[in-house]
Amino acid sequence: MKKRTFLKQIGLGSLALAGGSSAVAAKREQQIFSAKSKRKFWVWINPDHKASEEALTKQYKEFQESGITGIFFEADDEKHFTIAKKQGLETHRWIWTMNRGEESLLKSHPEMYAVSRKGDSCATKPPYVDYYRWLCPSKPETKAYLENVVKTELSKPYVDGIHLDYVRYCDVILPVNLWKNYGIQQNQELPEYDFCYCDTCRSKFKELKGIDILKSENPDQNLSWRKFRYDNITRIVNHLSATAASFKKPITAAVFPTPEVAKRIVRQDWTNWNLSGVCPMIYHKFYKEDVAWIGDAVEEGVRTLHGKFPLYAGLFLPDFDNQGEIVKGIQLALKSGASGVSLFGNVDAKVLSALKEAIKTA
C-alpha cells in the first residue's frame, strides 16, 4: 500500500472514530440531562395541624423554590395537602404498614400480630419499644386490613400517592449504633427479636417445605425460611401496589439502606417490589459510617435495581455535622445514580440552601 493512501485511510478512520466518540459523548450528555430533568426531591413531614395557612404557604413556597418537588405526610391534613399542591408540590400520604399499634386492632384482633421465635406476641410483648406492634404478613386478614387503609387514603382527591413505611419484619438485628440504647449485643439473631413463628407461618412453611421450622436445629440459618419471609412481605407490597394502580396513583416505600442490609436485618427484599420509587434510609451514622458511605449505598441499590424504578436516597439530617456535609451527601447520592433525595429532620433555611447548592453542582 502506498504511503499516501495509507495516511489517507488513517485520516478517514480517525475522523470516523472522532465522530463516533462525539456521538457517544453527545448521547451520554443527553442521558445525563434526561436523568436530571426527572429528578425528584422529597421531605418527610409530620404536619403541624395548628399551623396557619399563611405560615404553610410561606414554608411550602420556600420548599418549591429550593428544589423540593414532593412531600411525604405522616398524618392526614387537608389544609397542608391543599396548600402544598397550590405551590406545585406532590402530596403523598406516608403510612405505617406492618407496624400497626392501634388500640382497637390490638383488642379486636390480637391474632393478627407476629410471634417471636421465643413465643411472644407483639400484641402483648412488643420488642425493643412499646410501639413495635408488628402484624403477621401470612395472615389474609393483614392483607385485607392494609388494603383498606391504602384505599381510604388514596380515595381522597388531595392525596397524590401512597408512601409505605415499616414495610418489613421487626429488626432481628438493630443498626449497630443503636445497640447501646438498649444495652444489647446483637452479634447473632436472638430469638426474642426474630419473627414470625406463629401457627399460620409455621403451617404454611411446613406445607411448602415439609419442615416445622421451630423443630429444626438452627431455624435462623435456614435459607428457605428466610426466603419465605422475604416473599411474605413482597406479596403484601405488590398487592398494595396493585391497589394503588387501581387509583392510578404512585406508590413508594421507605426501606433499609441497601438490598443486602435490608434482607439481613429486617427480611426486606425491596428490589423485587413493584413500586413507583424507593427511598432507602441511608442514615450513615446509624451504621457508624461516614458521609462517603451514602454514595456506596446508592451505587449498590441502583446496580441491583437495574432501572426497575427510581431510587431516592433517604438522608437523616441530624447525622450531618454541618451544612457542607449535607451538600456533600446530596452530591454523592446524585452522582452515584440516585434520582433525587428525601430529607428527614428539620428542613430549615440552611438545609434548603444546601439542597439548592447540591442540585446545581451534581
Side-chain angles (χ1 to χ4, degrees), residues 54-69 87 89 347-353 355-356:
E54 182 181 6
L56 291 178
T57 299
K58 181 176 182 293
Q59 179 185 22
Y60 294 145
K61 183 179 180 181
E62 289 174 350
F63 277 11
Q64 193 277 333
E65 290 175 346
S66 300
I68 300 296
T69 56
Q87 298 305 317
L89 301 172
V347 182
D348 58 17
K350 289 183 178 180
V351 171
L352 293 176
S353 177
L355 176 64
K356 287 171 71 173

Side-chain angles (χ1 to χ4, degrees), residues 77-327:
D77 189 310
E78 186 172 357
K79 178 175 67 175
H80 275 262
F81 282 68
T82 301
I83 293 173
K85 286 173 72 69
K86 285 181 179 178
Q87 298 305 317
L89 301 172
E90 290 186 45
T91 55
H92 292 219
R93 180 66 165 87
W94 165 21
I95 65 167
W96 288 24
T97 311
M98 300 307 299
N99 184 12
R100 306 289 303 197
E102 296 93 323
E103 187 175 349
S104 58
L105 188 63
L106 284 166
K107 287 183 176 180
S108 60
H109 293 287
E111 75 284 353
M112 287 173 59
Y113 286 83
V115 175
S116 72
R117 179 155 43 103
K118 194 174 180 180
D120 296 321
S121 169
C122 284
T124 54
K125 194 172 182 180
Y128 302 116
V129 288
D130 188 62
Y131 69 83
Y132 256 32
R133 308 281 184 161
W134 299 90
L135 298 175
C136 168
S138 290
K139 309 277 190 186
E141 297 88 348
T142 295
K143 183 171 74 172
Y145 178 80
L146 293 174
E147 178 185 344
N148 184 61
V149 170
V150 169
K151 283 182 174 180
T152 299
E153 297 302 329
L154 290 181
S155 65
K156 298 168 184 174
Y158 52 85
V159 174
D160 292 332
I162 202 80
H163 181 66
L164 308 176
D165 198 359
Y166 290 101
V167 58
R168 56 183 178 85
Y169 284 87
C170 171
D171 325 55
V172 66
I173 297 175
L174 288 171
V176 64
N177 205 38
L178 301 183
W179 293 3
K180 63 182 184 296
N181 296 352
Y182 300 94
I184 55 178
Q185 288 290 321
Q186 291 184 319
N187 298 315
Q188 58 181 320
E189 296 185 3
L190 302 173
E192 57 265 47
Y193 307 115
D194 186 14
F195 292 84
C196 173
Y197 291 78
C198 73
D199 291 343
T200 302
C201 286
R202 288 170 62 191
S203 63
K204 286 191 174 185
F205 185 68
K206 188 172 184 178
E207 182 180 345
L208 183 68
K209 290 292 181 179
I211 299 171
D212 183 341
I213 194 61
L214 272 182
K215 293 181 180 178
S216 63
E217 187 175 356
N218 295 297
D220 57 313
Q221 298 302 312
N222 188 298
L223 299 182
S224 294
W225 176 234
R226 290 191 180 210
K227 184 178 185 301
F228 172 80
R229 290 178 289 177
Y230 303 156
D231 293 347
N232 274 346
I233 296 295
T234 296
R235 276 190 292 271
I236 291 285
V237 173
N238 289 347
H239 180 73
L240 298 181
S241 177
T243 302
S246 70
F247 285 84
K248 295 181 172 56
K249 293 183 178 182
I251 181 169
T252 56
V255 297
F256 270 53
T258 72
E260 185 276 328
V261 170
K263 291 173 77 173
R264 176 165 49 86
I265 68 177
V266 292
R267 321 302 189 196
Q268 192 183 59
D269 187 16
W270 51 262
T271 62
N272 282 314
W273 296 355
N274 298 329
L275 295 173
S276 310
V278 69
C279 299
M281 297 176 288
I282 308 175
Y283 299 173
H284 56 283
K285 285 191 177 179
F286 280 42
Y287 303 90
K288 294 190 175 180
E289 296 287 350
D290 59 12
V291 176
W293 183 69
I294 293 169
D296 296 337
V298 168
E299 284 181 1
E300 182 184 334
V302 170
R303 183 174 64 251
T304 310
L305 281 171
H306 297 294
K308 186 175 182 181
F309 45 74
L311 182 152
Y312 309 105
L315 305 180
F316 186 60
L317 294 174
D319 274 358
F320 297 94
D321 294 332
N322 52 60
Q323 189 172 352
E325 281 197 354
I326 298 173
V327 173

Side-chain angles (χ1 to χ4, degrees), residues 36 39 41 331 334 353-362:
K36 286 186 176 182
R39 285 176 176 174
F41 298 92
Q331 288 175 332
L334 297 175
S353 177
L355 176 64
K356 287 171 71 173
E357 181 180 346
I359 292 173
K360 287 180 182 178
T361 55

